[in-house]
């Protein structure tokens, strides 16, 4: 069975450097870290988890609590996020514990139970609200965490996010460049911070393009395909004129496309449609959905690195990643 010294010899470093990489406990240059990780993989080295955890009083486990309310577990975005987190955790020799909770108030009790029971070393928060009670609770309890998203107090805690406002500005600019002036927008519920930023980006994009901002073009919808369908159907039933439609998520955009098909207004030919996320279903839609891609691999790695820093008592800098406009036939 290979030892830490075998890994050190293979990588051409000291055993202490290997320990730094395994425990994320010391400064290591990126190229050295990659060399050590490659040696670990080649030798099939597995550190004794029990001994490491006992020595460092760590579980090497990241806790993720998934909501089952507004954004259900069937949402493909969550599957993509879990996949990216799982890959990043594997690289950093971590376990990922996933719990579910339907009642936001019960989140706090679940957080306490998992942390005090030494099931996890800290948490990753998702679906951030503009005023999120989990933040104050974790800070008051001294529990390490990182958030995927922001709140209105976004400088007070470690977070990683995708720039939804910039993405929507880019989408509006693209549509305006194609000659669209009446651009509808389906917003997610504004209790979510990401929904607020994406709506602001839409408003800013319309203003920058010199387009009239008609509040009748803005509709709030549930975070589901059915929610997008209902909101787009209401727009069509009311006779509100529009030649393009932006949606806060891909699922909502796919639902809107269904409503357009039923109304005889072909998406991509008569009405341009753009979503946000680039879930796998987007490329398989009819027509394939133009969307703003979230860089999931970068998100997963940035979240795990920030979480490790927080667990080690550091204050990681916020990370804001740009989305990428993926052009397909719907726009």
């Amino acid at each position: 069975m290979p030892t830490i010294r075998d890994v050190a010899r293979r990588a051409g470093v000291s055993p202490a450097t290997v320990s730094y990489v395994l425990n994320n406990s010391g400064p290591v240059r990126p190229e050295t870290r990659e060399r050590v990780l490659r040696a670990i993989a080649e030798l099939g080295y597995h550190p004794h988890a029990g001994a490491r955890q006992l020595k460092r009083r760590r579980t090497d486990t990241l806790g993720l609590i998934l909501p089952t309310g507004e954004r259900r577990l069937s949402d493909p975005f969550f599957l993509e996020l879990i996949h990216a987190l799982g890959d990043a955790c594997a690289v950093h020799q971590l376990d990922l514990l996933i719990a579910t909770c339907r009642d936001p108030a019960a989140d706090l009790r679940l957080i306490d139970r998992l942390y005090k029971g030494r099931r996890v070393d800290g948490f990753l928060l998702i679906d951030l609200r503009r005023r999120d009670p989990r933040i104050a609770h974790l800070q008051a309890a001294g529990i390490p965490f990182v958030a995927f998203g922001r709140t209105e107090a976004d400088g007070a805690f470690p977070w990683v996010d995708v720039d939804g406002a910039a993405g929507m500005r880019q989408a509006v600019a693209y549509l305006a460049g194609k000659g669209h002036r009446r651009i509808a927008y389906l917003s997610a519920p504004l209790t979510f911070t990401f929904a607020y930023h994406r709506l602001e980006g839409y408003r800013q994009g319309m203003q920058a393009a010199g387009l009239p901002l008609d509040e009748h073009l803005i509709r709030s919808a549930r975070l589901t395909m059915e929610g997008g369908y209902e909101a787009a159907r209401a727009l069509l039933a009311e006779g509100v004129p529009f030649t393009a439609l932006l949606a806060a998520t891909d699922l909502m955009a796919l639902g809107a496309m269904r409503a357009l098909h039923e109304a005889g207004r072909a998406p991509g030919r008569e009405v341009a449609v753009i979503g946000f996320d680039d879930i796998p279903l987007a490329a398989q839609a009819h027509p394939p959905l133009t969307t703003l891609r979230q860089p999931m691999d970068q998100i997963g790695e940035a979240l795990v690195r920030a979480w490790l820093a927080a667990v080690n008592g550091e204050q990681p800098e916020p990370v804001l990643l740009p989305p990428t406009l993926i052009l397909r036939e719907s726009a």
Side-chain angles (χ1 to χ4, degrees):
M1 181 178 294
T3 68
I4 195 169
R5 292 185 181 277
D6 296 326
V7 173
R9 278 194 294 270
R10 174 67 67 93
V13 299
S14 69
T17 299
V18 177
S19 179
Y20 290 157
V21 172
L22 290 171
N23 300 318
N24 200 45
S25 57
V28 180
R29 296 171 65 181
E31 57 270 25
T32 303
R33 179 182 296 275
E34 291 301 320
R35 202 160 67 244
V36 170
L37 291 173
R38 188 164 56 249
I40 290 171
E42 290 171 355
L43 292 171
Y45 171 71
H46 296 285
H48 191 287
R52 288 176 62 211
Q53 292 167 1
L54 184 62
K55 180 180 178 181
R56 298 185 298 117
R57 299 182 64 81
R58 296 274 181 83
T59 67
D60 291 332
T61 302
L62 184 160
L64 170 64
I65 300 176
L66 287 179
T68 59
E70 295 96 334
R71 304 187 74 176
R72 298 174 297 177
L73 296 181
S74 59
D75 189 332
F77 175 78
F78 283 132
L79 299 179
E80 295 296 301
L81 177 61
I82 290 170
H83 180 81
L85 287 171
D87 284 349
C89 284
V91 168
H92 293 278
Q93 305 282 307
L94 297 171
D95 292 325
L96 178 63
L97 185 148
I98 299 174
T100 59
C101 188
R102 182 174 182 82
D103 178 9
D107 271 359
L108 306 184
R109 296 191 296 273
L110 182 56
I111 284 170
D112 288 342
R113 179 165 60 83
L114 293 175
Y115 187 73
K116 292 176 180 178
R118 299 199 59 193
R119 301 281 303 282
V120 299
D121 293 326
F123 292 92
L124 164 62
L125 303 183
I126 60 175
D127 267 4
L128 271 286
R129 270 68 170 175
R130 293 169 68 183
R131 295 180 178 87
D132 201 308
R134 295 174 297 177
I135 302 295
H137 182 83
L138 287 161
Q139 289 175 327
I143 300 175
F145 72 96
V146 64
F148 179 34
R150 292 166 277 172
T151 67
E152 292 183 344
D154 55 23
F157 59 89
W159 54 262
V160 175
D161 203 2
V162 173
D163 196 340
M168 285 303 180
R169 289 195 299 269
Q170 183 182 7
V172 171
Y174 171 78
L175 292 170
K178 294 293 184 181
H180 294 281
R181 294 184 57 80
R182 300 280 298 178
I183 303 172
Y185 183 75
L186 304 187
S187 173
L190 293 179
T191 51
F192 295 106
T193 315
F194 83 88
Y196 171 78
H197 287 302
R198 292 178 194 181
L199 175 58
E200 285 302 296
Y202 163 78
R203 292 181 184 277
Q204 293 163 5
M206 295 290 282
Q207 183 176 16
L211 300 180
L213 191 60
D214 184 350
E215 294 296 327
H216 290 95
L217 290 171
I218 302 173
R219 301 299 166 102
S220 181
R222 291 179 293 130
L223 282 164
T224 60
M225 199 178 296
E226 191 66 22
Y229 170 78
E230 292 168 353
R233 192 177 177 187
L235 271 172
L236 293 163
E238 294 170 22
V240 179
F242 62 96
T243 62
L245 181 146
L246 281 171
T249 72
D250 282 351
L251 281 185
M252 294 162 66
L254 293 172
M257 285 171 60
R258 175 185 155 208
L260 289 168
H261 278 300
E262 289 182 359
R265 299 186 63 183
R269 293 201 300 271
E270 297 179 53
V271 179
V273 181
I274 299 180
F276 201 116
D277 288 335
D278 197 26
I279 60 175
L281 283 173
Q284 306 304 319
H286 176 64
L289 178 64
T290 291
T291 185
L292 289 148
R293 174 181 293 164
Q294 300 209 50
M296 298 309 298
D297 289 343
Q298 293 181 56
I299 292 168
E301 178 65 18
L303 284 168
V304 170
R305 284 185 179 274
W307 181 84
L308 281 167
V311 167
N312 287 324
E314 303 168 18
Q315 183 66 32
E317 290 294 318
V319 177
L320 187 61
L321 298 168
T324 303
L325 184 62
I326 305 299
L327 297 177
R328 298 194 182 102
E329 295 174 27
S330 74

